[in-house]
Amino acid sequence: MLVGVLALGAGVWVAQSRYQPTATTNMTPEALWNLPFPNLSGATQTLGDWRGKTLVINFWATWCAPCREEIPDFIAIRREYASKSVEIVGIAIDNAQAVKPYAQQMGISYPLLIGEGGALEMSRALGNPSGALPYTVVIAPNGAILLRHLGRLPKAKLQAILDQPTAPTPSR
């Protein structure tokens, strides 16, 4: 039993150190603001629709257990930070037929975009080398990336980022 626990711990450590989010810049690539994705109504939207706000982008899927676990936190944070010009956008690595009923069942109140497989490339461009889920990126109104997080994002960690008085100046 002890050997199994040690092996599991070693595996987690290797995975986290190997697949840690990385990026060569602290700015959101300009092209990503204009990538079109359908929303749950079928209308096309881009991240540019929320430019100028602090944007929490969460890449997720209905079949991903840690993704499902963090949804109630995102719902609560959206409600808590709505007056502070913060928006949460979920980009589903899924199809609309799976996302629509799940979003209704969970009472998801933040915007959802249907990214299907193409959104994995977007997550990689934002620093997710493995394409694993969930993956969350927080972008300041000026385009600076404040946080890249692979795995379930603790609510307190996101709140700490959102409670910063001003966005840091991006380094290039």
Side-chain angles (χ1 to χ4, degrees):
M1 170 107 166
L2 178 60
V3 173
V5 170
L6 291 174
L8 177 63
V12 168
W13 178 81
V14 167
Q16 286 187 339
S17 60
R18 182 171 183 197
Y19 297 112
Q20 201 57 237
T22 59
T24 57
T25 180
N26 284 335
M27 291 298 289
T28 306
E30 192 62 35
L32 295 180
W33 289 106
N34 299 316
L35 287 176
F37 292 105
N39 62 22
L40 291 182
S41 301
T44 300
Q45 288 192 270
T46 67
L47 293 180
D49 293 344
W50 298 284
R51 201 169 201 169
K53 293 185 172 198
T54 299
L55 187 59
V56 179
I57 304 169
N58 176 248
F59 295 91
W60 70 288
T62 58
W63 44 263
C64 166
C67 300
R68 294 190 311 258
E69 291 171 4
E70 63 187 2
I71 287 173
D73 289 345
F74 288 135
I75 293 169
I77 285 175
R78 183 177 193 239
R79 188 172 41 249
E80 181 181 344
Y81 288 86
S83 65
K84 297 180 181 178
S85 196
V86 171
E87 185 59 272
I88 295 175
V89 176
I91 300 180
I93 313 297
D94 225 324
N95 61 49
Q97 292 80 8
V99 175
K100 280 183 185 182
Y102 187 77
Q104 289 174 342
Q105 173 191 349
M106 293 297 294
I108 298 175
S109 56
Y110 51 88
L112 295 176
L113 303 178
I114 307 300
E116 297 185 0
L120 284 176
E121 288 308 311
M122 182 181 194
S123 79
R124 285 185 177 102
L126 288 169
N128 182 5
S130 68
L133 298 176
Y135 183 65
T136 304
V137 178
V138 179
I139 302 173
N142 66 359
I145 295 177
L146 304 175
L147 174 72
R148 292 177 175 88
H149 187 86
L150 180 59
R152 188 182 191 291
L153 179 58
K155 184 178 179 182
K157 184 173 183 175
L158 179 54
Q159 287 171 314
I161 294 294
L162 297 177
D163 287 338
Q164 292 179 359
T166 59
T169 304
S171 59
R172 294 191 185 230

